[in-house]
Amino acid sequence: MWWGGRGQSFNIAPQKEEPEVGLAGPKRVQRTGMLEPRSRQLDSHVASGCLPGEQILAWAPGVRKGLEPELPGTLICTNLRVTFQPCGWQRSQETPLSSEYDFALVNIGRLEAVSGLSRVQLLRPGSSLKFIPEEILIHGRDFRLLRVAFEAGGLEPQAFQVTMAIVQARAQNSQAQEYAGIPLSKAGQSSGSRKPPIPLLETSEDWETERKRQGARGWRVSTVNERFDIATSLPRYFWVPKRTLDSEVRKAFGHFHQGRGPRLSWHHPGDSDLLRCGGFYTANDPNKEDIRAVESMLQAGHSDVVLVDTVDELPSLADVQLAHLRLRALCLPDSSTAEEKWLSALEGTRWLDYVRSCLRKASDISVLVTSRVRSVVLQERGDRDFNGLLSSLVQLLSAPEARTLLGFQSLVQREWVAAGHPFRTRLGVTGASEEAPVFLLFLDCVWQLLQQFPAEFEFSEFFLLALHDSARVPDTLTFLRDTPWERGKQGGQLNSYTQIYTPGYGQPPAGNSGDSQLSVWDWELRYRREQILQFHNPGYDPEHCPDSWLPRQQPSFMVPGPPSSVWLFSRGALTPLNQLCPWRDNPSLLAVSSRWLPRPAISSESLADQEWGLPSHWGACPLPPGLLLPGYLGPQIRLWRRCYLRGRPEVQKGLSAPTVSGLQDELSRLQELLRKWTPRISPEDHSKKRDPNTILSQSR
């Protein structure tokens, strides 16, 4: 369930008088004898599960189709969601925020009413239904499908009524576009002494703890943005070089787009640093002191600096949005694409091409970070989209602790939520033209890594699906806001501060609450225990992650970079630069020695040759400890079928179509997984059965 501000009633022309459930419970209405028992059953179940803020608008009995066996129950429309409640099913008091049967209104991408074999009407927000439907199909923007057939025998008016309620609720929802999230107290939890599942990085203590965990001794937590007077899109705290004063940070950040200056994203155990920042304000004319401060922050104490053009070779935001729309249209159950042309149509969406590009670039950057002791700076104009995607993928490829369940959640919280990724805008909650599901593209990239390295990740595909489905639900503020300012203001953390706004982004919501808000990481309030157990990957090898989160000693493969060298990494190649900053012509650092001039590089393999030595040397030496280099050629990048084809139950059976060719494909995939896991399983493990519960307990 999802809860928000109190909804408004809609003037639905009723054929019969229907119950309305609010805070005071169901009203007494006149009903026929046949429907009274069903009404009482609905009221008792729903009234016990409803929390303040949700209002039931209409309901109708029906059968959920597309499942085996078909599931009888009740379709309910509220001011926040559409839910199907199976007969005899009640929401658990321990998990009042179930996500199994619910569709948030904002998540509904397409609504269809069906009557007979050929009468189909596409219902947009505000449209009128022209007939009494026998069946409705709700297509989720998360690729889920809810197909409900209504019961006959005098119940047709209810079918009409609940369908129109959904249409009007979507129209009303698109106008409101504001959700307040759920305070923990209203979710049945005490927020006073409750510790969040992971550090939310809302305090300087959280940032200091994470800095120590990474072993970033040359960095400190800066409080210069504590009142959000540098940028509302930045977190209140972030890491800057220890020797840089806050006054210098303030001046330096003013020369970057939206005030997003260079900050540490991740410190590699071998002493390299991965930074991220916005684009330079080239029209500025900074003085020498400001330029010196900018250079010092970009160098971060290293003599070797690599500036990475983040968006080079990656799709634009408009490209990502168009590809996602084409993919969703292709994966609809009623897609008009012929089966023999389906794969070519999939290639035509370009979605897999964009996944491939992201993995290729992340692999290149991972080589840059792990091959030499240097400062690698990700630079994107806005610093809020692909910088987060690449920084997260680099850490997944290079840091085993990021592949644990706790580590991955902390990674998303730090590089996406705290870093100010505009979730609300990019996921289309606001209806703005800047919609582009960059975060969902990232989750697809992670799924690809999970398929190629199944024993390296503690979390499973089911966890990625749960995170994917949580991106468009209005129950938490995690993905409901565009900036840390908005999230903190709604959560009641900024009562004593006077804020300024980042130009180009909407004003934060008014009002605040002293009650802590529900986080997306509060899985126990949103999923059942059996579902949460599926988040763990039974094939995970705990030996791949260090037993301790303490920083390790510098590995022997890390070598110092060339003296005072500056590079630009673009289009797969390193190009020497004469200076770090664009505001003056004279070199800001020493000239680069000719022996450090790069050889052309077009892939992570050739870049690896360049960074670690000749191909013969590379072939003889193992990868640096913990580093993964994924494949991204041809069939190595696959369609995430369990996610994108959820609207096609026949495809979900064994994850392949019930054909000989489908079974052969499934067999080859299982054999490939077996080959990947076999070297990591001892002969003793093959000769005896293993208890799944034991595997789960070992993976925690």
Side-chain angles (χ1 to χ4, degrees):
M1 267 189 188
W2 301 298
W3 320 100
R6 179 178 298 277
Q8 299 180 2
S9 299
F10 301 116
N11 295 322
I12 305 173
Q15 300 293 325
K16 290 186 178 181
E17 200 169 3
E18 298 298 334
E20 180 182 349
V21 180
L23 297 181
K27 298 179 180 179
R28 299 184 62 182
V29 294
Q30 295 295 325
R31 303 297 304 272
T32 63
M34 179 184 66
L35 295 181
E36 284 178 356
R38 187 181 294 275
S39 174
R40 286 196 297 268
Q41 182 182 15
L42 172 73
D43 293 343
S44 62
H45 287 175
V46 176
S48 63
C50 282
L51 295 177
E54 186 174 38
Q55 184 179 10
I56 294 179
L57 306 175
W59 63 273
V63 176
R64 182 172 182 177
K65 303 179 73 69
L67 303 175
E68 291 185 2
E70 295 180 345
L71 196 62
T74 305
L75 183 69
I76 305 171
C77 175
T78 78
N79 59 314
L80 293 178
R81 64 186 173 96
V82 176
T83 184
F84 181 83
Q85 292 199 4
C87 290
W89 178 81
Q90 291 185 345
R91 295 185 184 273
S92 170
Q93 295 298 322
E94 298 178 356
T95 58
L97 309 176
S98 173
S99 299
E100 187 172 358
Y101 300 106
D102 299 341
F103 275 67
L105 294 176
V106 71
N107 186 41
I108 298 177
R110 182 174 173 180
L111 176 64
E112 295 175 318
V114 180
S115 179
L117 298 177
S118 59
R119 198 172 186 184
V120 180
Q121 182 182 353
L122 177 63
L123 297 172
R124 295 182 173 86
S127 60
S128 298
L129 183 58
K130 299 177 180 179
F131 53 84
I132 295 179
E134 298 177 3
E135 182 178 309
I136 66 169
L137 286 81
I138 301 176
H139 300 273
R141 300 174 74 183
D142 58 2
F143 294 87
R144 287 190 298 156
L145 172 66
L146 179 61
R147 181 184 173 194
V148 177
F150 297 111
E151 296 182 10
L155 300 180
E156 292 83 356
Q158 286 183 270
F160 183 91
Q161 194 167 349
V162 73
T163 304
M164 281 304 301
I166 297 173
V167 172
Q168 297 186 32
R170 291 181 66 198
Q172 187 77 8
N173 176 266
S174 63
Q175 297 172 7
Q177 297 297 351
E178 195 63 67
Y179 302 97
I182 305 177
L184 286 172
S185 61
K186 293 184 179 180
Q189 300 291 318
S190 173
S191 60
S193 58
R194 186 178 183 274
K195 186 177 180 181
I198 63 168
L200 300 181
L201 299 176
E202 295 172 345
T203 65
S204 59
E205 290 78 12
D206 286 348
W207 286 90
E208 179 64 15
T209 300
E210 178 64 17
R211 184 195 67 80
K212 291 180 179 179
R213 186 195 67 78
Q214 293 189 16
R217 293 181 294 273
W219 298 81
R220 67 176 180 86
V221 178
S222 173
T223 60
V224 69
N225 196 47
E226 192 169 31
R227 297 177 182 270
F228 291 100
D229 52 357
I230 298 293
T232 57
S233 65
L234 284 175
R236 297 172 64 189
Y237 312 99
F238 44 77
W239 298 312
V240 298
K242 182 178 291 186
R243 296 183 179 181
T244 305
L245 302 177
D246 276 351
S247 59
E248 296 175 314
V249 173
R250 186 181 298 273
K251 292 179 181 179
F253 276 42
H255 299 295
F256 290 85
H257 186 68
Q258 292 187 3
R260 298 181 66 89
R263 310 156 333 269
L264 177 68
S265 279
W266 177 57
H267 177 77
H268 188 274
D271 272 350
S272 280
D273 291 311
L274 180 65
L275 287 70
R276 59 185 291 181
C277 66
F280 293 115
Y281 271 140
T282 56
N284 284 11
D285 186 19
N287 57 38
K288 293 183 179 180
E289 288 74 16
D290 290 357
I291 293 178
R292 190 177 298 112
V294 170
E295 290 178 346
S296 175
M297 297 187 71
L298 292 173
Q299 287 180 260
H302 298 279
S303 61
D304 190 13
V305 183
V306 179
L307 293 178
V308 178
D309 185 357
T310 298
V311 298
D312 176 59
E313 296 184 296
L314 293 186
S316 67
L317 294 177
D319 291 336
V320 173
Q321 172 65 2
L322 180 60
H324 194 260
L325 290 176
R326 289 174 174 172
L327 179 66
R328 207 164 68 204
L330 180 65
C331 294
L332 287 175
D334 58 351
S335 174
S336 59
T337 305
E339 184 176 355
E340 61 272 13
K341 297 181 179 179
W342 201 89
L343 291 179
S344 60
L346 173 62
E347 194 68 22
T349 65
R350 301 296 306 279
W351 181 260
L352 297 184
D353 287 339
Y354 298 154
V355 171
R356 184 176 295 110
S357 298
C358 293
L359 288 176
R360 181 191 297 117
K361 187 129 191 175
S363 299
D364 286 343
I365 299 171
S366 299
V367 171
L368 291 172
V369 171
T370 56
S371 61
R372 302 180 189 275
V373 179
R374 55 168 46 127
S375 171
V376 179
V377 184
L378 304 179
Q379 190 165 35
E380 179 190 20
R381 184 176 186 273
D383 182 37
R384 302 177 67 182
D385 293 295
F386 289 105
N387 266 6
L389 183 147
L390 290 177
S391 176
S392 301
L393 288 180
V394 168
Q395 294 178 58
L396 284 172
L397 293 175
S398 308
E401 60 268 18
R403 302 170 207 148
T404 65
L405 192 55
L406 176 63
F408 182 74
Q409 294 178 95
S410 299
L411 174 68
V412 173
Q413 182 70 25
R414 185 176 70 253
E415 297 298 331
W416 293 86
V417 181
H421 176 68
F423 284 102
R424 197 160 172 260
T425 297
R426 296 291 181 256
L427 295 174
V429 178
T430 63
S433 59
E434 296 89 355
E435 180 179 355
V438 180
F439 182 67
L440 305 185
L441 178 65
F442 163 69
L443 293 182
D444 197 321
C445 293
V446 178
W447 180 83
Q448 304 290 340
L449 296 178
L450 190 60
Q451 301 309 298
Q452 295 191 30
F453 307 99
E456 302 282 348
F457 291 84
E458 184 183 21
F459 54 87
S460 68
E461 178 184 18
F462 294 101
F463 173 76
L464 293 179
L465 276 172
L467 195 56
H468 180 281
D469 294 346
S470 299
R472 287 192 178 99
V473 295
D475 59 354
T476 79
L477 291 180
T478 308
F479 300 140
L480 285 183
R481 297 292 180 262
D482 281 345
T483 67
W485 194 100
E486 297 176 2
R487 202 173 289 110
K489 183 70 174 178
Q490 186 69 42
Q493 303 163 6
L494 311 175
N495 299 339
S496 61
Y497 298 134
T498 301
Q499 314 300 338
I500 65 172
Y501 303 106
T502 300
Y505 288 85
Q507 300 291 317
N512 54 62
S513 169
D515 196 357
S516 297
Q517 296 288 317
L518 183 75
S519 165
V520 72
W521 315 119
D522 290 304
W523 299 111
E524 72 279 2
L525 298 179
R526 306 170 63 240
Y527 285 80
R528 299 192 310 274
R529 182 179 179 275
E530 307 83 60
Q531 294 174 306
I532 295 176
L533 285 177
Q534 290 184 310
F535 290 176
H536 295 264
N537 174 17
Y540 172 66
D541 185 354
E543 295 182 359
H544 294 173
C545 182
D547 294 333
S548 173
W549 284 62
L550 296 176
R552 293 164 286 174
Q553 296 296 321
Q554 177 173 328
S556 59
F557 69 88
M558 297 290 285
V559 297
S564 301
S565 58
V566 184
W567 307 88
L568 172 67
F569 183 73
S570 179
R571 299 189 179 277
L574 287 167
T575 304
L577 296 177
N578 289 328
Q579 60 188 45
L580 266 174
C581 302
W583 299 296
R584 59 185 181 187
D585 296 329
N586 56 310
S588 60
L589 296 176
L590 297 178
V592 180
S593 172
S594 60
R595 72 187 184 94
W596 291 102
L597 291 178
R599 298 190 297 273
I602 58 174
S603 68
S604 63
E605 288 82 5
S606 59
L607 182 62
D609 297 341
Q610 172 186 332
E611 290 292 294
W612 278 298
L614 298 175
S616 59
H617 173 75
W618 171 246
C621 293
L623 285 175
L627 178 64
L628 307 177
L629 287 183
Y632 43 76
L633 302 177
Q636 292 175 306
I637 301 300
R638 296 169 173 164
L639 178 69
W640 189 2
R641 290 185 290 177
R642 196 185 292 273
C643 179
Y644 302 141
L645 297 179
R646 282 186 285 182
R648 298 186 171 189
E650 73 279 2
V651 181
Q652 294 300 313
K653 298 175 182 178
L655 281 184
S656 61
T659 62
V660 174
S661 60
L663 293 176
Q664 289 176 339
D665 178 63
E666 186 69 18
L667 178 60
S668 64
R669 291 183 68 252
L670 292 175
Q671 290 174 336
E672 182 179 350
L673 285 175
L674 182 61
R675 285 194 299 270
K676 291 177 179 178
W677 278 346
T678 299
R680 308 186 186 280
I681 302 177
S682 63
E684 292 78 7
D685 292 333
H686 283 294
S687 61
K688 62 181 181 180
K689 295 183 178 179
R690 303 189 65 185
D691 184 2
N693 295 323
T694 304
I695 297 177
L696 284 176
S697 62
Q698 291 175 352
S699 66
R700 294 175 187 171

